[in-house]
């Protein structure tokens, strides 16, 4: 059945091409005719611009005066030239010269070598209207003027028409054909009748390991790698799966936050698969012309079926896979592209070994028909890495980095909870750049911690001038955060660093908190402790100065967000109980909530949120008033040093000398590097239960990730 149909399809394609080609060629001819006519028009206008019309009486006077040299008697007029040095030529040249500005005259003289007058006289031709005058010919004979018309034969006329019209058209057609072929060959078209590759898929094809990325370059996503390794094994060894009756999955959807490594994982698949790998972005299908996207989908799957077994990777598939909802107006081009994609996913035989991979960070907007089994059979979640994943990722990114002896990637992984792979790669690179700036040959622990700080807060603004009152208010604000966090040891993260040095990302100061262990669940007490810590800065301002500043804006925003989630999503409200009042709209992007309740309920939610915040605010004020003396001591020490560690703050609380904090607590501070070495051996992974030594590096110039805002509080 397949044999007879194939030639038929080929014949149809050939017939289609034959039909398209003449239309394209006709278009080229028409364009050539238009261009030649425009060219002739321009030539004629240029010729007319050097022709001066005169009255017949003036022409006869010039003949009688002996000025006229030659006369061409045409049907549309008498064209004549005058002798050199005669008044008509001189007057014409003077008139043209006087109409020009001095700058224009100087320009023409420089271009014509100072012979502008002579050039004007040589280029002019006079014309007058033909008048029936039987005395003109005798007068021309008497004045010895050459006159008459040139006899033109039919052959000469045809040759003139050929040279002036037909030949330029032919030359223009040939030139346009070659240009058209060259341009559209570069664009991937298929001849003159094509549309210049508009409907051709421009997917990049990787064969074998040309991407330069393998699974060894991907860390922290073991579950995703396992799922993809099974697909790759199916392509290489289909027999052991078909033997039991298993079918190859048609597609797998990679979902997760930005920066987690979806595209990197797809490139690693290309490096491991040893089969052709088609990589294309969803935006490459979308054009302003309706039907182009669908044509590109057809072309992509056609090419893939020829090279089966193979893998097709569509990045940012949400561009073409959005839900077909016409409530707000549809998009015909995108919907046609999606419909064609659905048809292709249903149409090809899974036994051929064509696997479709899609990547998106907006799975909630995808059409349900695209997600059903039989199209994308698997959804592979690539989430933020856990502690073991972050450690493995740091090991990957530091493979080619010279590391000092004091580097402890365990502590860096512990401090970067919530960071994705892209954040960790940027952190390592910033640390390497800092080491070069400091003149070192290797990256030490301090470089990693300082780059951590640089990523979240930016560099120090050393030129910022603050008043003494502003410094005092900032110092008490940050110490308020740290002191309240300290007295909530069971629920709040320990303080690592306090600074009142302004930074480039808008922070006039900040308090860095590093977790002692990774948490996957937050209890109600943990959330309330976090709110108290956030509001403690404003509470310190009220306790000490009896006033409020604008520095607590970010703290208030984050505290309100936590309290609202407690009421609407976590079921931690006495009034509403375990009632879901909101949903997350983009879980992998901004994480914003959308209320799913009545307006009266929304007003009640605001009251509950206000109650939680007021209660936590009162708790923070009470804690600071109870330890007012410590608040003053730590704030004074911070004003003196501008930046202190958590160990120094603990030393003041315990009544010890903060200057000796490093000596008294040697376990809290990393020892200086004694020697430089290359770290080639892998760093041991943490225990399976996630228990690692607590990070208490109080002397670090720490950084935190934008994705982990609960580790740092700044204003």
């Amino acid at each position: 059945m397949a044999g007879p149909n194939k030639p038929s399809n080929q014949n149809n394609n050939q017939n289609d091409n034959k039909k398209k080609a003449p239309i394209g060629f006709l278009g080229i001819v028409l364009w050539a005719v238009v261009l030649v006519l425009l060219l002739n028009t321009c030539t004629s206008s240029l010729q007319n611009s050097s022709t001066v019309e005169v009255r017949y009486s003036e022409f006869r006077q010039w003949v009688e005066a002996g000025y006229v040299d030659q006369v061409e008697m045409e049907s549309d007029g008498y064209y004549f030239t005058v002798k050199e040095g005669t008044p008509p030529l001189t007057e014409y040249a003077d008139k043209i010269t006087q109409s020009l500005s001095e700058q224009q005259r100087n320009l023409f003289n420089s271009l014509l070598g100072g012979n502008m007058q002579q050039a004007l006289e040589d280029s002019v031709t006079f014309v007058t209207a033909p008048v029936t005058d039987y005395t003109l010919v005798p007068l021309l004979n008497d004045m010895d003027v050459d006159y008459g018309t040139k006899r033109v034969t039919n052959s000469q006329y045809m040759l003139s028409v050929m040279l002036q019209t037909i030949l330029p058209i032919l030359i223009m057609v040939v030139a346009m054909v070659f240009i058209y072929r060259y341009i559209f060959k570069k664009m991937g078209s298929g001849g003159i009748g094509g549309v210049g590759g508009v409907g051709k898929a421009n997917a990049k094809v990787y064969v074998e390991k040309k991407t330069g990325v393998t699974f060894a370059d991907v860390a922290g996503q073991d579950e995703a790698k396992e799922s993809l390794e099974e697909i790759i094994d199916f392509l290489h060894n289909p027999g052991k799966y078909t033997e039991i009756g298993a079918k190859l999955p048609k597609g797998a959807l990679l979902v997760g936050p930005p920066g987690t490594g979806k595209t990197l994982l797809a490139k690693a698949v290309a490096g491991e698969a040893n089969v052709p790998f088609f990589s294309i972005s969803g935006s490459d299908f979308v054009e302003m012309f309706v039907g182009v996207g669908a044509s590109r989908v057809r072309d992509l799957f056609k090419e893939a079926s020829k090279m089966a077994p193979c893998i097709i990777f569509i990045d940012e598939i949400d561009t073409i896979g959005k839900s077909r909802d016409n409530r707000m107006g549809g998009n015909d081009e995108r919907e046609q592209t999606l419909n064609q994609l659905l048809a292709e996913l249903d149409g090809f035989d899974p036994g051929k070994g064509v696997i479709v991979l899609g990547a998106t960070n907006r799975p909630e907007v995808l059409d349900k028909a695209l997600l059903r089994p039989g199209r994308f059979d698997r959804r592979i979640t690539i989430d933020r890495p856990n502690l073991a994943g972050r450690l493995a990722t740091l090991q990957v990114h530091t493979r080619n980095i010279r590391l000092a002896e004091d580097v402890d990637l365990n502590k860096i992984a512990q401090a970067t909870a919530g960071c994705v792979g892209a954040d960790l790669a940027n952190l390592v690179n910033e640390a390497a750049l800092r080491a070069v700036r400091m003149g070192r040959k290797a990256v030490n622990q301090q470089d990693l911690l300082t780059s951590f700080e640089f990523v979240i807060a930016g560099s120090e603004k050393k030129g910022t001038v603050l008043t003494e009152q502003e410094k005092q208010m900032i110092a008490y604000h940050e110490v308020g955060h740290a002191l309240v966090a300290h007295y909530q040891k069971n629920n709040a993260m320990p303080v690592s660093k306090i600074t009142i040095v302004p930074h480039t990302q808008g922070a006039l100061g900040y308090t860095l908190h590093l977790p002692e262990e990774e948490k996957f669940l937050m209890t109600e007490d943990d959330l309330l402790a976090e709110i108290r810590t956030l509001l403690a800065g404003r509470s310190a301002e009220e306790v000490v100065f009896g006033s409020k500043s604008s520095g607590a804006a970010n703290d208030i925003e984050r505290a309100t967000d936590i309290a609202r989630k407690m009421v609407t999503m976590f079921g931690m409200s006495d009034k509403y109980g375990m009632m879901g009042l909101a949903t997350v709209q983009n879980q992998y992007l901004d994480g914003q909530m959308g209320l799913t309740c009545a307006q009266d309920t929304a007003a009640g939610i605001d009251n509950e949120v206000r109650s939680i915040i007021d209660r936590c605010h009162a708790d923070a004020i009470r804690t600071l008033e109870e330890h007012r003396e410590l608040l003053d001591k730590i704030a004074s020490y911070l004003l003196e040093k501008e930046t202190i560690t958590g160990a120094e703050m603990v030393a003041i609380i315990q009544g010890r000398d903060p200057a000796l904090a490093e000596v008294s607590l040697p376990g809290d501070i990393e020892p200086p590097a004694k020697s430089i070495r290359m770290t080639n051996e892998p760093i041991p992974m943490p225990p399976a239960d996630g228990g690692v030594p607590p990070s208490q590096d109080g002397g670090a110039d720490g950084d935190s990730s934008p994705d982990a805002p609960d580790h740092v509080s700044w204003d």
Side-chain angles (χ1 to χ4, degrees):
M1 294 296 291
N5 291 336
K6 192 170 181 181
S8 177
N9 293 334
Q10 291 178 351
N11 292 334
N12 291 335
N13 293 334
Q14 291 175 0
N15 293 333
D16 292 341
N17 292 332
K18 288 178 181 180
K19 292 178 182 178
K20 291 180 180 179
I23 296 175
F25 184 78
L26 217 59
I28 290 177
V29 173
L30 292 175
W31 274 108
V33 171
V34 171
L35 291 176
V36 170
L37 291 176
L38 289 174
L39 184 62
N40 289 338
T41 303
C42 294
T43 305
S44 183
S45 62
L46 289 174
Q47 291 176 351
N48 293 333
S49 63
S50 61
T51 302
V52 181
E53 293 184 5
V54 298
R55 299 175 66 83
Y56 182 82
S57 59
E58 191 173 6
F59 160 68
R60 189 174 176 93
Q61 291 176 4
W62 289 359
V63 173
E64 294 174 352
Y67 299 157
V68 177
D69 181 47
Q70 189 177 20
V71 180
E72 293 287 342
M73 296 180 177
E74 303 291 344
S75 60
D76 59 337
Y78 297 162
Y79 296 86
F80 62 95
T81 58
V82 297
K83 299 176 182 178
E84 288 187 28
T86 54
L89 283 180
T90 306
E91 291 175 2
Y92 167 75
D94 292 341
K95 185 177 180 181
I96 298 297
T97 304
Q98 291 174 3
S99 65
L100 301 176
S101 64
E102 186 176 356
Q103 293 179 347
Q104 291 174 328
R105 287 197 296 269
N106 294 334
L107 176 62
F108 283 122
N109 280 318
S110 61
L111 293 175
L112 298 173
N115 297 323
M116 185 182 71
Q117 185 86 8
Q118 186 64 40
L120 290 173
E121 293 180 0
D122 294 341
S123 63
V124 67
T125 300
F126 298 92
V127 63
T128 185
V131 177
T132 304
D133 185 1
Y134 298 106
T135 62
L136 177 61
V137 173
L139 179 61
L140 296 175
N141 291 327
D142 293 341
M143 303 304 301
D144 197 20
V145 176
D146 187 15
Y147 65 92
T149 57
K150 293 181 180 180
R151 181 177 177 272
V152 180
T153 62
N154 290 334
S155 60
Q156 291 176 329
Y157 177 76
M158 293 297 297
L159 182 62
S160 176
V161 172
M162 288 279 294
L163 294 175
Q164 294 182 6
T165 306
I166 298 178
L167 184 61
I169 291 176
L170 292 176
I171 295 174
M172 192 72 69
V173 168
V174 173
M176 290 184 67
V177 167
F178 278 104
I179 294 172
Y180 193 88
R181 284 183 178 273
Y182 176 78
I183 293 176
F184 288 99
K185 184 179 180 181
K186 291 290 185 181
M187 295 175 62
S189 85
I192 298 177
V195 197
V198 172
K200 187 176 180 66
N202 50 354
K204 296 179 181 178
V205 183
Y206 298 101
V207 182
E208 296 182 354
K209 297 186 179 181
K210 292 185 178 180
T211 60
V213 182
T214 64
F215 279 154
D217 301 307
V218 182
Q221 304 293 343
D222 295 336
E223 295 81 6
K225 287 179 7 181
E226 184 179 349
S227 298
L228 292 173
E229 283 175 350
E230 186 179 355
I231 292 175
I232 294 172
D233 186 56
F234 199 115
L235 292 174
H236 292 165
N237 307 293
K240 66 179 183 180
Y241 294 94
T242 56
E243 201 174 41
I244 200 172
K247 293 182 179 180
L248 180 69
K250 286 189 176 182
L253 187 65
L254 309 178
V255 299
T260 50
K262 298 183 294 295
T263 305
L264 181 67
L265 195 57
K267 290 183 177 180
V269 171
E272 297 284 349
N274 293 324
V275 297
F277 185 90
F278 294 80
S279 177
I280 192 169
S281 174
S283 59
D284 292 334
F285 293 106
V286 181
E287 293 283 353
M288 65 178 292
F289 305 107
V290 177
V292 171
S295 174
R296 289 181 176 176
V297 171
R298 285 192 298 271
D299 182 75
L300 175 63
F301 279 85
K302 180 180 178 183
E303 294 297 322
S305 62
K306 293 179 181 177
M307 302 181 69
C310 63
I311 297 174
I312 300 174
F313 174 61
I314 305 176
D315 202 4
E316 305 296 343
I317 196 172
D318 54 274
T319 306
I320 60 173
K322 288 183 181 178
S323 178
R324 292 164 290 183
D325 187 0
N326 292 321
R327 288 178 297 178
M328 301 299 293
N331 186 316
D332 291 338
E333 165 61 5
R334 183 173 54 77
E335 289 184 5
Q336 285 195 20
T337 305
L338 175 59
N339 291 335
Q340 186 63 41
L341 178 61
L342 297 176
E344 294 291 343
L345 288 172
D346 282 338
F348 69 85
D349 183 9
K352 293 183 177 180
V354 179
I355 303 291
V356 182
L357 298 180
T360 181
N361 46 39
R362 301 174 65 195
E364 60 277 346
V365 305
L366 295 179
D367 196 277
K368 301 302 180 185
L370 188 65
L371 300 176
R372 73 162 176 83
R375 286 168 178 158
F376 282 100
D377 301 279
R378 292 188 179 182
R379 175 181 290 200
I380 302 174
T381 301
I382 304 177
D383 213 340
R384 302 179 188 276
N386 56 12
L387 179 60
R390 293 195 299 276
L391 181 57
T393 304
L394 287 170
Q395 290 174 346
V396 169
H397 291 303
T398 56
R399 284 185 306 193
N400 300 320
I401 302 292
R402 283 179 179 252
L403 298 179
E405 193 176 61
D406 68 332
V407 171
D408 187 356
L409 294 183
N410 265 313
K411 289 191 174 183
I412 304 300
Q414 187 76 41
T416 53
C419 292
V420 297
D423 297 327
L424 299 176
N426 186 36
L427 186 150
V428 172
N429 187 62
E430 289 291 343
L433 295 176
R434 184 179 187 273
V436 174
R437 287 197 303 269
M438 304 299 292
R440 291 192 295 272
K441 299 295 184 181
V443 176
N444 59 22
Q445 186 80 349
Q446 187 68 29
D447 293 327
L448 290 168
L449 292 170
T450 303
S451 67
F452 182 45
E453 179 183 5
F454 176 79
V455 170
I456 63 156
S459 58
E460 295 183 357
K461 296 172 65 176
K462 300 178 181 178
T464 303
V465 179
L466 300 174
T467 64
E468 289 299 323
Q469 183 179 359
E470 288 176 330
K471 285 184 179 179
Q472 288 184 0
M473 187 166 288
I474 295 170
Y476 276 100
H477 183 107
E478 299 303 333
V479 173
H481 287 306
L483 200 59
V484 171
H486 176 78
Y487 284 102
Q488 300 181 104
K489 291 182 179 180
N490 295 329
N491 301 105
M493 290 177 292
V495 177
S496 175
K497 177 182 177 180
I498 312 170
T499 182
I500 59 172
V501 178
H503 285 68
T504 55
Q505 293 189 9
L508 296 177
Y510 67 88
T511 303
L512 181 66
H513 304 266
L514 297 182
E516 291 183 334
E517 60 183 7
E518 188 170 26
K519 288 187 177 182
F520 297 97
L521 292 176
M522 298 288 287
T523 65
E524 184 176 4
D525 291 336
D526 294 334
L527 295 172
L528 292 175
E530 179 69 15
I531 296 175
R532 293 189 195 100
T533 303
L534 289 169
L535 299 178
R538 167 62 63 83
S539 302
E541 296 175 7
E542 295 179 4
V543 170
V544 178
F545 302 100
S547 64
K548 306 171 184 177
S549 73
S550 60
N554 181 258
D555 298 329
I556 295 172
E557 180 183 355
R558 292 162 58 195
T560 304
D561 182 63
I562 296 173
R564 188 172 296 278
K565 287 181 178 179
M566 291 176 64
V567 176
T568 59
M569 299 181 65
F570 302 155
M572 298 178 181
S573 168
D574 295 334
K575 182 176 181 180
Y576 296 105
M578 293 182 293
M579 182 179 178
L581 303 172
T583 57
V584 178
Q585 297 175 345
N586 295 316
Q587 66 179 100
Y588 296 124
L589 295 178
D590 55 15
Q592 293 295 320
M593 300 185 300
L595 292 179
T596 56
C597 59
Q599 292 183 355
D600 294 341
T601 306
I605 292 172
D606 291 339
N607 294 331
E608 282 291 294
V609 172
R610 172 71 181 274
S611 175
I612 294 174
I613 291 176
D614 289 345
R615 189 165 65 250
C616 293
H617 182 45
D619 294 342
I621 290 178
R622 185 165 51 254
T623 302
L624 294 173
E625 288 177 343
E626 291 175 358
H627 303 89
R628 174 62 190 273
E629 185 178 353
L630 289 175
L631 179 64
D632 294 333
K633 286 183 180 180
I634 300 172
S636 299
Y637 187 73
L638 179 60
L639 284 169
E640 179 184 353
K641 298 291 186 178
E642 292 190 341
T643 299
I644 66 174
T645 67
E648 291 174 304
M649 184 192 74
V650 172
I652 296 174
I653 294 173
Q654 295 176 355
R656 297 183 285 108
D657 186 0
L660 303 177
E662 296 183 8
V663 179
S664 303
L665 301 173
D668 291 347
I669 305 296
E670 291 291 338
K674 297 180 181 179
S675 62
I676 304 300
R677 66 179 176 87
M678 287 291 294
T679 304
N680 295 321
E681 67 275 9
I683 297 177
M685 299 291 287
D689 59 357
V692 297
S695 178
Q696 298 175 346
D697 192 1
D701 288 348
D703 300 326
S704 69
S705 166
D707 296 313
D710 54 337
H711 296 174
V712 64
S713 108
W714 70 72
D715 309 282

